Amino acid sequence: MVKLIHTLADHGDDVNCCAFSFSLLATCSLDKTIRLYSLHDFTELPHSPLKFHTYAVHCCCFSPSGHILASCSTDGTTVLWNTENGQMLAVMEQPSGSPVRVCQFSPDSRCLTSGAADGTVVLWNTQSYKLYRCGSVKDGSLVACAFSPNGSFFVTGSSCGDLTVWDDKMRCLHSEKAHDLGITCCDFSSQPVSDGEQGLQFFRLASCGQDCQVKIWIVCFTHILGFELKYKSTLSGHCAPVLACAFSHDGQMLVSGSVDKSVIVYDTNTENILHTLTQHTRYVTTCAFAPNTLLLATGSMDKTVNIWQFDLETLCQARSTEDQLKQFTEDWSEEDVSTWLCAQDLKDLVGIFKINNIDGKELLNLTKESLADDLKIESLGLRSKVLRKIEELRTKVKSLSSGIPDEFVCPITRELMKDPVIASDGYSYEKEAIENWISKKKRTSPMTNLVLPSAVLTPNRTLKMAINRWLETHQK
């Protein structure tokens, strides 16, 4: 189901962090260096290792486009690097000079957070390389940070166990004790969870800590209704402090690494354990999924980074039949349809659909005539929007029933990609579809609805090869 395909052993000390872009893997270590590898064959790039920091490098992360890499260190600096040539773009010093433990880009790449051992958190402008906002937590060191997928807020975790939520103006929205003995890592799923009550988007957050636990939270924030953080569940499996956690790009899996030397991969829908990996010989300090490819990287105090590859077909089989069927729209209840309407910004139609007992099967059979004559929706524009959303659902049902992995499907056309490219929002699209979108939609992201930082499209050769391999296996 999952196999170890490569081990990197170039660092001279503990590996602290690893991160993927669409074409590269970055790792950093107590040995003061950052190393860059090609995902094509895992060879180290000519300009690697990157050297500047005078003490241990704690964290590294890519901008969504993958063109910039950030690293932070005990030396009190956060450095931005050009990933194409390894040149330094900026050195940003924490105002207090305190060791920087974590850094993270915002989804639109315009900001970068850095959290330090003295509890300070800084929001940097990545265009001017200047400090934009600064704040601090009451107790403990900041050791974890994650932006919400829409970029409207971010969460920090402290060594005292507090989760603190900040908006994009660095105002503290919420803080609560999440792990008794201290937080070690946190991560948002990129896929929102829709809720039918208010038509809001909720986000799934994972946190882990010294209490040996991985916790799942549901988070919502709007400027009108404010912020809400709800505890959902605790995932079992580790018998020692959990040092790292990360969601897969599609939100279907969550991985954690622990002092018990193991890596556990969970199905986020069922919260069942899919895999337990025990290759590392010392504490597992970091783990990361590659975007749009079935690769996982895990790093350890044994000075190695292991690269794992998933078998998608057997991974799907690991989920129960009941859970798989629930993904199909035909099996939706009337409440599921109401939730879907709210998620599509069609909450005003919930009452009409409920009165007419529209469940999943009925939803897929709706036509422009039935919307006008049976449901009495008078607005032509509204009917067109509903039909467009239903057609997207029909395409997705066809994709699921045919077994096409969702990461191989273009988010715009909902069809198997032939020429995938990476846009500056970090997502992959069919080249022709995203080019048409950019020309007609004034350069907004189809996934985040934010303005694209750049119109540059980069061929996603890794994804294209994965699609071709899948086609060779599944089509005669």
Side-chain angles (χ1 to χ4, degrees), residues 258-321:
S258 169
V259 168
D260 63 17
K261 308 175 189 176
S262 74
V263 174
I264 296 180
V265 182
Y266 301 90
D267 182 325
T268 55
N269 296 311
T270 64
E271 299 187 352
N272 293 330
I273 294 176
L274 295 175
H275 313 286
T276 300
L277 312 175
T278 56
Q279 187 74 17
H280 287 293
T281 58
R282 294 194 66 196
Y283 300 173
V284 179
T285 54
T286 179
C287 47
F289 281 102
N292 282 357
T293 57
L294 298 174
L295 294 178
L296 168 69
T298 59
S300 167
M301 290 175 66
D302 62 15
K303 307 177 186 177
T304 69
V305 177
N306 286 330
I307 312 297
W308 308 83
Q309 186 170 48
F310 289 87
D311 183 320
L312 180 78
E313 190 168 0
T314 50
L315 179 63
C316 290
Q317 290 172 356
R319 299 191 177 102
S320 69
T321 303

Side-chain angles (χ1 to χ4, degrees), residues 8-17 26-35 37 49 302-305:
L8 304 171
D10 299 309
H11 282 295
D13 211 327
D14 301 357
V15 176
N16 285 332
C17 186
T27 62
C28 63
S29 166
L30 283 181
D31 67 10
K32 310 174 190 176
T33 69
I34 306 102
R35 293 182 180 270
Y37 302 88
D302 62 15
K303 307 177 186 177
T304 69
V305 177

